[in-house]
Amino acid sequence: MKTTFGVLGVVGSTRHGSYSAQALKIALEYAKKQGAEVQQIEAGLPLYEPNAQASEQVARAAEAVSWANAIILASPDYHGSMSGVLKNFLDHFYEEFAGKLFGYIVASHEKGLTVMDQMRTAVRQCYGWSMPYGVSVNGPQDFSGGDLTNPRISKRLEMMARDLVVYGRLINSQFVRDIGSADQDTFAARYRP
Ligand SMILES: Cc1cc2nc3c(=O)[nH]c(=O)nc-3n(C[C@H](O)[C@H](O)[C@H](O)COP(=O)(O)O)c2cc1C
């Protein structure tokens, strides 16, 4: 059985110098300090097409999602919504999210709460678990010359990474135990092979 704890970060911005991607990178570094293994991927995948054969790119993303025990989604705030690229990424998956805890980062000028709500809704529909809070960065205010200069954001990213690893381990290990047991009265029962 896998004993390491894998945290996957998904970059939902295609913008060079993306603030959400920079914040995600910092959060993953903090997750590493909590003993997690980390991986970061770009959300950009071919437009989800139910009848299409999975491309190599989608297969690689699916491998990363399956590898992960917890996932951090990082999105820009586009019209109060998550980016289309990130939504399309999520559309490629469903059962893979069950039993995993998700954390959220948004780059926004307005806290990005509606963006986080949308990401939570999509994850909940796939029976993923969500952190009760997220981290919002306001790029021009919180970063300078490519560095995060707001210590409050740094603390929040550290706290989120810590909580994601600690609570994520509890949720994921119980999910794996429930799958391995014969108990029919758990939501994990339907994920048995
Ligand atoms: C098409 C578009 C729509 C946007 N809509 C909003 C918005 O509704 N609210 C907001 O605060 N910022 C909005 N922004 C600004 C971006 O959220 C902001 O530039 C953010 O830093 C982008 O994320 P990134 O740095 O990770 O690429 C919008 C930007 C674009 C390009």
Side-chain angles (χ1 to χ4, degrees), residues 116-159:
M116 282 185 209
D117 283 347
Q118 290 185 353
M119 294 195 284
R120 283 202 181 90
T121 296
V123 165
R124 186 198 67 215
Q125 289 297 112
C126 303
Y127 292 88
W129 297 72
S130 280
M131 295 276 292
Y133 65 88
V135 180
S136 166
V137 295
N138 184 331
Q141 286 176 17
D142 297 330
F143 288 84
S144 177
D147 291 323
L148 177 63
T149 49
N150 183 339
R152 202 182 60 82
I153 298 292
S154 179
K155 286 305 281 178
R156 276 186 74 78
L157 289 170
E158 185 175 18
M159 180 173 76

Side-chain angles (χ1 to χ4, degrees), residues 46-187:
L47 191 61
Y48 177 65
E49 156 58 70
N51 302 313
Q53 286 251 325
S55 66
E56 220 174 275
Q57 201 188 352
V58 172
R60 269 200 307 276
E63 208 174 294
V65 167
S66 298
W67 165 86
N69 301 105
I71 297 175
I72 303 175
L73 301 179
S75 180
D77 183 335
Y78 284 168
H79 306 324
S81 313
M82 76 176 102
S83 68
V85 164
L86 184 61
K87 178 60 171 66
N88 179 58
F89 176 89
L90 297 177
D91 290 345
H92 282 271
F93 302 103
Y94 173 49
E95 296 211 333
E96 296 87 338
F97 293 164
K100 295 175 184 178
L101 181 60
F102 282 69
Y104 305 103
I105 292 172
V106 178
S108 174
H109 303 144
E110 311 169 82
K111 299 210 187 307
L113 293 178
T114 51
V115 182
M116 282 185 209
D117 283 347
Q118 290 185 353
M119 294 195 284
R120 283 202 181 90
T121 296
V123 165
R124 186 198 67 215
Q125 289 297 112
C126 303
Y127 292 88
W129 297 72
S130 280
M131 295 276 292
Y133 65 88
V135 180
S136 166
V137 295
N138 184 331
Q141 286 176 17
D142 297 330
F143 288 84
S144 177
D147 291 323
L148 177 63
T149 49
N150 183 339
R152 202 182 60 82
I153 298 292
S154 179
K155 286 305 281 178
R156 276 186 74 78
L157 289 170
E158 185 175 18
M159 180 173 76
M160 189 182 77
R162 183 267 175 202
D163 287 346
L164 186 88
V165 173
V166 171
Y167 290 93
R169 265 188 208 281
L170 292 171
I171 287 169
N172 198 242
S173 60
Q174 186 61 51
F175 182 74
V176 170
R177 263 199 302 278
D178 283 349
I179 284 185
S181 86
D183 191 345
Q184 291 301 323
D185 298 327
T186 72
F187 99 99

Side-chain angles (χ1 to χ4, degrees), residues 4-5 30-37 165 169:
T4 52
F5 189 79
Y30 281 132
K32 246 199 248 176
K33 286 191 182 151
Q34 293 292 326
E37 285 185 9
V165 173
R169 265 188 208 281

